[in-house]
Amino acid sequence: GVHGIRLGSGPVVTPGPVALVLTDVTEARRVEAVRRDFVANVGHELKTPVGALALLAEAVQGAADDPETVQRFAARMQHEADRLARLVRELIDLSRLQGAEPLPELVPVAVGTVVAEAVDRTRAAAAAKDIQLAVAAQPGLVVRGVEAQLATALTNLLANAVAYSPPGTTIAVGARARSGFAEIAVTDSGIGIPRSDRSRVFERFYRVDQSRASATGGTGLGLAIVKHVASNHGGAVTVWSEEGLGSTFTLRIPLGTDADQPADEAGPER
Ligand code: ADP
């Protein structure tokens, strides 16, 4: 397209015709390289569970006369199939969010509903690790958005908080209004993220520790999805973390206008 070049944080410079052509070729090459990387990554990520399933299927056939072994292999096949299903689901989510489809209309969404939905979806995983979820959401917060996307984003943050926290800890979920944004924060007392990885965790397929991530069944797409949801809503997601102490992920989504407030909380005339 015809666009300017941004030089650092400086002004936008509109290049002459020759520079413009060069810029577009470079940009096209860069986009192509990113696309190739992505396809290679997807292929690699799919190979692992598919390969495991093939091996397990073979093993099951060889163990047909031992019901206990068959059970054990079948359970592992289930696990790999679940992982594959999650990966495919998240890839589809991500491609939708990246604008392959038009963005659904933004409508007033109650933050309380989004928080309740995400907490509900995380409760079982938290309980399995004896992790408490402490929720403190300012009542009456309304943003403009797509409820399903916001709930998915917050669920991803909560699922990570559970996955990367030791048993018996507490995860705090807070929501408040601040400078025109709804600020939704998820704070855990988990393993934290090393400084050098902090800026990269929002990249597709980026994981701090491959072995750790595969043990938790992660896909490496969760935070990329959160980032796209945030930017589709005109918001942002940030992370604060200290290794060994824990992490806070903060999702900021523009507040709705007064007209978006639900009628039953509209004000004193009622
Ligand atoms: P995954 O499916 O692997 O969790 P994500 O995109 O959700 O992928 O997260 C990317 C990486 O960021 C994770 O693999 C993990 O290393 C790190 N991470 C995300 N959330 C947390 C957290 N709350 N505490 C510690 N590390 C985290």
Side-chain angles (χ1 to χ4, degrees):
V2 179
H3 43 63
I5 307 169
R6 197 174 284 279
L7 300 168
S9 57
V12 173
V13 179
T14 307
V18 174
L20 184 66
V21 169
L22 287 177
T23 306
D24 279 358
V25 170
T26 313
E27 173 64 8
R29 285 223 182 100
R30 197 191 61 80
V31 168
E32 174 57 19
V34 167
R35 195 196 60 80
R36 238 190 344 253
D37 265 14
F38 180 63
V39 172
N41 275 332
V42 170
H44 179 79
E45 296 294 329
L46 290 172
K47 233 167 83 182
T48 310
V50 168
L53 277 169
L55 282 175
L56 285 163
E58 203 174 295
V60 160
Q61 284 165 356
D65 50 354
D66 179 0
E68 232 170 79
T69 308
V70 169
Q71 266 303 267
R72 203 154 44 82
F73 286 155
R76 284 176 55 192
M77 290 179 83
Q78 180 76 61
H79 176 81
E80 294 299 335
D82 287 348
R83 187 187 167 83
L84 197 55
R86 191 164 55 234
L87 187 60
V88 170
R89 195 173 54 237
E90 291 188 351
L91 281 169
I92 292 170
D93 280 354
L94 200 57
S95 90
R96 288 204 178 119
L97 288 167
Q98 285 174 335
E101 290 176 19
L103 194 64
E105 196 192 344
L106 301 186
V107 295
V109 176
V111 172
T113 310
V114 171
V115 170
E117 221 172 297
V119 167
D120 265 358
R121 284 194 223 158
T122 317
R123 225 184 276 283
K129 286 180 81 173
D130 191 27
I131 287 174
Q132 304 283 326
L133 300 174
V135 184
Q138 183 180 321
L141 288 182
V142 175
V143 294
R144 278 194 156 260
V146 182
E147 186 177 308
Q149 286 190 10
L150 292 169
T152 296
L154 188 55
T155 303
N156 287 356
L157 293 180
L158 279 169
N160 281 348
V162 171
Y164 301 109
S165 291
T169 52
T170 297
I171 292 165
V173 190
R176 58 173 182 169
R178 198 164 176 232
S179 335
F181 287 80
E183 209 172 76
I184 308 169
V186 176
T187 300
D188 65 56
S189 313
I191 57 179
I193 301 166
R195 179 178 300 280
S196 54
D197 297 291
R198 243 166 263 160
S199 61
R200 301 201 60 192
V201 290
F202 297 100
E203 293 173 18
R204 297 175 303 201
F205 296 120
Y206 191 83
R207 298 172 184 131
V208 173
D209 176 345
Q210 286 295 334
S211 59
R212 184 176 90 185
S214 66
T216 61
T219 59
L221 294 175
L223 289 179
I225 290 173
V226 176
K227 189 179 161 186
H228 276 96
V229 169
S231 66
N232 281 357
H233 282 76
V237 57
T238 53
V239 59
W240 173 93
S241 188
E242 203 64 63
E243 258 190 288
L245 278 184
S247 311
T248 297
F249 283 84
T250 306
L251 190 57
R252 287 189 184 79
I253 305 293
L255 284 169
T257 62
D258 284 347
D260 296 331
Q261 298 301 317
D264 57 342
E265 289 172 31
E269 68 270 14
R270 292 189 104 237

